[in-house]
């Protein structure tokens, strides 16, 4: 079985949230911090995660990204990484983190089976970083990234949300950083969600503005890998690092979609900005349910739309950016 939709797209890439909670209070995401609700179902247990990943692997998944919230807040994260790495057919086990525990835990994550790492770094100036994230942790974060670069990961990528008036003057500093570091920096265009309209209108910057500056500086776009994420990646002969652009408002952004999402409570999201979440948890209670789970995935993919409707102001079930997990 191969996961595919009626538009000819296949889906070898799963983004699995393992926790809702985040300990940061980023201005563009959770400016008031994470607030748990008493009626929220519990997050998926490790046995449920194992059954989920085993089924997706049978259906052709080759890459899984562990996201949150902030995944490192789960005490059993190492076990989850090991479960993912143990599934036949899964070639890449990636994770997106805010890096709060990176310096202390990155070696253990690598030993557990993590192969690819994404770290959120919205500014290279300490005061600016603290103002955006609500935490003065940039020195430890950068030290953790340098440690990760010495561990032999398949890739280390950094995520920076483009914010007009807050970090849009950081490109020169980033270029200095990338000159002698083999990392990929991805600039992510701020996305409209259910609760950030005023912030979006004030700080949204089109990713095309950055791309024009890159091309003018001699950066050239690279071919896109089959299981790559949504970034358009650029390289320059004078820099070890690369720059990726994630521009959800660009033309044909959804045409290359190759990923599905499952929330921390087991809901399948065919689109980050879709209107429905299909509960898979009832089919994760016993190994004998695998065939039924696979059949359900196939049926649901037949309902996947050609693209999101962000241009029309429709943000679906995504109320904030905490579950995007770059």
């Amino acid at each position: 079985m191969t996961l595919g939709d009626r538009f000819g797209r296949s889906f070898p890439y799963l983004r699995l949230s393992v926790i809702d909670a985040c300990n940061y209070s980023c201005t563009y995401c959770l400016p008031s911090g994470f607030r748990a609700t008493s009626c929220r179902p519990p997050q998926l247990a490790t046995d449920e995660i194992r059954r989920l990943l085993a089924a997706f692997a049978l259906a052709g998944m080759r890459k899984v990204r562990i996201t949150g919230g902030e995944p490192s807040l789960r005490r059993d994260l190492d076990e989850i990484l090991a479960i993912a790495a143990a599934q036949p057919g899964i070639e890449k086990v990636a994770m997106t983190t805010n890096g709060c525990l990176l310096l202390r835990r990155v070696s253990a994550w690598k030993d557990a089976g993590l192969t690819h790492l994404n770290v959120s770094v919205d500014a290279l100036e300490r005061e600016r970083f603290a103002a955006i994230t609500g935490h003065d942790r940039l020195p430890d974060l950068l030290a953790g990234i340098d440690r990760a670069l010495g561990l032999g990961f398949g890739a280390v990528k950094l995520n920076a949300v483009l914010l007009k008036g807050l970090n849009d003057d950081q490109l020169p500093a980033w270029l200095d950083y990338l000159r002698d570091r083999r990392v990929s920096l991805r600039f992510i265009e701020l996305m409209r969600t259910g609760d950030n309209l005023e912030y979006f209108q004030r700080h949204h910057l089109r990713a095309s503005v950055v791309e024009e500056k890159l091309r003018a500086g001699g950066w050239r776009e690279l071919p896109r890998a089959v299981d790559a994420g949504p970034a358009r990646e650029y390289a320059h002969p004078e820099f070890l690092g690369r720059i990726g652009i994630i521009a959800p408002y660009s033309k044909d952004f959804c045409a290359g979609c190759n990923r599905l999402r499952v929330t921390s409570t087991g809901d399948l999201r065919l689109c980050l900005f879709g209107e429905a979440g299909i509960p898979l948890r009832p089919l994760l209670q016993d190994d004998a349910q695998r065939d039924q789970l696979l059949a359900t995935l196939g049926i649901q993919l037949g309902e996947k739309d050609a693209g999101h409707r962000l241009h029309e102001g429709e943000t679906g079930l995504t109320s904030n950016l905490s579950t995007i997990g770059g």
Side-chain angles (χ1 to χ4, degrees):
M1 175 182 176
T2 299
L3 291 175
D5 68 6
R6 55 201 166 109
F7 303 102
R9 299 174 296 194
S10 59
F11 300 90
Y13 182 1
L14 174 68
R15 301 166 80 96
L16 172 64
S17 172
V18 296
I19 190 170
D20 281 345
C22 183
N23 56 336
Y24 275 23
S25 51
C26 297
T27 58
Y28 57 83
C29 183
L30 293 171
S32 300
F34 174 77
R35 297 177 180 178
T37 58
S38 58
C39 60
R40 183 72 173 165
Q43 62 205 16
L44 291 177
T46 52
D47 275 349
E48 293 172 315
I49 290 173
R50 175 181 57 79
R51 294 181 184 113
L52 177 80
L53 294 181
F56 269 91
L58 277 177
M61 178 187 66
R62 296 296 172 258
K63 177 179 179 180
V64 59
R65 176 173 300 281
I66 304 300
T67 72
E70 172 46 44
S72 67
L73 299 183
R74 272 198 70 148
R75 295 181 179 180
D76 56 357
L77 175 61
D78 291 11
E79 182 182 357
I80 292 171
L81 294 173
I83 288 170
Q87 302 308 315
I90 294 184
E91 300 164 356
K92 297 180 181 180
V93 179
M95 183 172 75
T96 297
T97 174
N98 64 23
C100 62
L101 295 178
L102 186 65
L103 188 59
R104 289 164 45 192
R105 298 295 302 158
V106 66
S107 295
W109 298 338
K110 179 71 164 53
D111 291 342
L114 186 68
T115 65
H116 292 66
L117 178 67
N118 287 43
V119 186
S120 297
V121 190
D122 291 309
L124 284 176
E125 294 178 7
R126 185 170 181 172
E127 294 78 11
R128 195 90 59 95
F129 179 88
I132 293 172
T133 65
H135 289 267
D136 183 13
R137 296 183 177 180
L138 183 61
D140 280 352
L141 179 61
L142 296 179
I145 292 168
D146 284 340
R147 179 169 293 179
L149 288 172
L151 293 177
F153 282 103
V156 175
K157 298 181 181 180
L158 312 182
N159 296 341
V161 177
L162 287 172
L163 300 169
K164 183 170 63 177
L166 296 177
N167 67 1
D168 53 332
D169 61 346
Q170 291 278 287
L171 184 58
W174 276 118
L175 292 179
D176 287 342
Y177 184 87
L178 293 173
R179 191 173 297 277
D180 58 0
R181 289 180 175 85
R182 203 172 296 279
V183 298
S184 177
L185 166 68
R186 292 118 55 81
F187 287 118
I188 304 172
E189 188 174 345
L190 180 66
M191 287 170 270
R192 166 86 185 278
T193 64
D195 67 354
N196 76 346
L197 176 59
E198 182 180 352
Y199 188 95
F200 177 84
Q201 292 173 334
R202 189 164 65 249
H203 295 296
H204 178 248
L205 176 69
R206 294 301 295 256
S208 58
V209 173
V210 177
E211 289 189 274
E212 290 170 5
K213 291 180 180 179
L214 292 176
R215 293 191 199 100
W219 292 75
R220 294 293 176 260
E221 188 173 354
L222 300 173
R224 186 173 183 270
V226 174
D227 67 344
R232 296 193 293 266
E233 195 163 38
Y234 290 79
H236 193 292
E238 298 177 7
F239 293 80
L240 285 182
R242 295 177 176 179
I243 295 177
I245 302 293
I246 298 179
Y249 293 92
S250 63
K251 182 183 178 182
D252 296 329
F253 177 76
C254 297
C257 182
N258 63 354
R259 59 208 175 278
L260 300 171
R261 297 174 185 265
V262 173
T263 70
S264 63
T265 56
D267 285 357
L268 173 67
R269 296 283 179 85
L270 298 177
C271 174
L272 177 62
F273 296 98
E275 295 288 347
I278 299 95
L280 299 180
R281 190 169 216 161
L283 300 176
L284 301 174
Q285 304 311 304
D286 192 284
D287 292 349
Q289 296 175 292
R290 182 174 297 173
D291 288 346
Q292 188 180 356
L293 175 58
L294 289 169
T296 298
L297 294 176
I299 292 169
Q300 292 303 324
L301 274 171
E303 303 297 322
K304 184 171 172 62
D305 290 333
H308 61 59
R309 294 184 174 85
L310 283 176
H311 296 89
E312 303 166 24
E314 295 184 21
T315 61
L317 296 178
T318 300
S319 61
N320 58 65
L321 298 175
S322 65
T323 58
I324 289 181

PDB file of all heavy atoms in Angstrom, residues 50 62 70 84 100 133-134 297:
ATOM      1  N   ARG A  50       3.682   3.534  18.694  1.00  0.00           N
ATOM      2  CA  ARG A  50       4.303   2.425  17.982  1.00  0.00           C
ATOM      3  C   ARG A  50       3.353   1.868  16.925  1.00  0.00           C
ATOM      4  O   ARG A  50       3.759   1.617  15.777  1.00  0.00           O
ATOM      5  CB  ARG A  50       4.704   1.327  18.967  1.00  0.00           C
ATOM      6  CG  ARG A  50       5.261   0.068  18.293  1.00  0.00           C
ATOM      7  CD  ARG A  50       5.627  -0.994  19.303  1.00  0.00           C
ATOM      8  NE  ARG A  50       4.519  -1.373  20.159  1.00  0.00           N
ATOM      9  CZ  ARG A  50       3.536  -2.203  19.792  1.00  0.00           C
ATOM     10  NH1 ARG A  50       3.525  -2.722  18.568  1.00  0.00           N
ATOM     11  NH2 ARG A  50       2.578  -2.509  20.637  1.00  0.00           N
ATOM     12  N   ARG A  62       8.498   7.105   4.861  1.00  0.00           N
ATOM     13  CA  ARG A  62       9.948   6.945   4.954  1.00  0.00           C
ATOM     14  C   ARG A  62      10.590   7.971   5.877  1.00  0.00           C
ATOM     15  O   ARG A  62      11.750   7.826   6.251  1.00  0.00           O
ATOM     16  CB  ARG A  62      10.568   7.057   3.552  1.00  0.00           C
ATOM     17  CG  ARG A  62      10.125   5.940   2.607  1.00  0.00           C
ATOM     18  CD  ARG A  62      10.611   4.591   3.119  1.00  0.00           C
ATOM     19  NE  ARG A  62      10.064   3.453   2.366  1.00  0.00           N
ATOM     20  CZ  ARG A  62       9.077   2.698   2.784  1.00  0.00           C
ATOM     21  NH1 ARG A  62       8.495   2.964   3.944  1.00  0.00           N
ATOM     22  NH2 ARG A  62       8.658   1.675   2.080  1.00  0.00           N
ATOM     23  N   GLU A  70       6.426  21.523  22.356  1.00  0.00           N
ATOM     24  CA  GLU A  70       7.864  21.315  22.476  1.00  0.00           C
ATOM     25  C   GLU A  70       8.115  19.865  22.867  1.00  0.00           C
ATOM     26  O   GLU A  70       7.888  19.473  24.013  1.00  0.00           O
ATOM     27  CB  GLU A  70       8.462  22.269  23.515  1.00  0.00           C
ATOM     28  CG  GLU A  70       9.912  22.007  23.864  1.00  0.00           C
ATOM     29  CD  GLU A  70      10.785  21.774  22.636  1.00  0.00           C
ATOM     30  OE1 GLU A  70      10.656  22.513  21.640  1.00  0.00           O
ATOM     31  OE2 GLU A  70      11.600  20.832  22.670  1.00  0.00           O
ATOM     32  N   ALA A  84      10.440   5.075  16.744  1.00  0.00           N
ATOM     33  CA  ALA A  84      10.412   5.524  15.345  1.00  0.00           C
ATOM     34  C   ALA A  84      11.558   4.924  14.556  1.00  0.00           C
ATOM     35  O   ALA A  84      11.380   4.437  13.432  1.00  0.00           O
ATOM     36  CB  ALA A  84      10.464   7.050  15.299  1.00  0.00           C
ATOM     37  N   CYS A 100      15.440  24.226  24.088  1.00  0.00           N
ATOM     38  CA  CYS A 100      15.605  24.529  25.515  1.00  0.00           C
ATOM     39  C   CYS A 100      16.453  23.475  26.228  1.00  0.00           C
ATOM     40  O   CYS A 100      17.132  23.791  27.213  1.00  0.00           O
ATOM     41  CB  CYS A 100      14.245  24.698  26.186  1.00  0.00           C
ATOM     42  SG  CYS A 100      13.191  23.219  26.159  1.00  0.00           S
ATOM     43  N   THR A 133      10.916  35.377  21.992  1.00  0.00           N
ATOM     44  CA  THR A 133      10.558  34.067  22.566  1.00  0.00           C
ATOM     45  C   THR A 133      10.104  34.137  24.020  1.00  0.00           C
ATOM     46  O   THR A 133       9.494  33.192  24.524  1.00  0.00           O
ATOM     47  CB  THR A 133      11.751  33.110  22.501  1.00  0.00           C
ATOM     48  OG1 THR A 133      12.799  33.609  23.354  1.00  0.00           O
ATOM     49  CG2 THR A 133      12.277  32.983  21.075  1.00  0.00           C
ATOM     50  N   GLY A 134      10.458  35.225  24.710  1.00  0.00           N
ATOM     51  CA  GLY A 134      10.156  35.311  26.129  1.00  0.00           C
ATOM     52  C   GLY A 134      11.188  34.640  27.012  1.00  0.00           C
ATOM     53  O   GLY A 134      10.995  34.536  28.227  1.00  0.00           O
ATOM     54  N   LEU A 297      -6.855   5.153   6.600  1.00  0.00           N
ATOM     55  CA  LEU A 297      -5.944   6.138   6.021  1.00  0.00           C
ATOM     56  C   LEU A 297      -6.189   6.282   4.522  1.00  0.00           C
ATOM     57  O   LEU A 297      -6.234   7.400   3.993  1.00  0.00           O
ATOM     58  CB  LEU A 297      -4.493   5.731   6.277  1.00  0.00           C
ATOM     59  CG  LEU A 297      -4.017   5.739   7.728  1.00  0.00           C
ATOM     60  CD1 LEU A 297      -2.588   5.220   7.831  1.00  0.00           C
ATOM     61  CD2 LEU A 297      -4.114   7.138   8.326  1.00  0.00           C
TER      62      LEU A 297
END
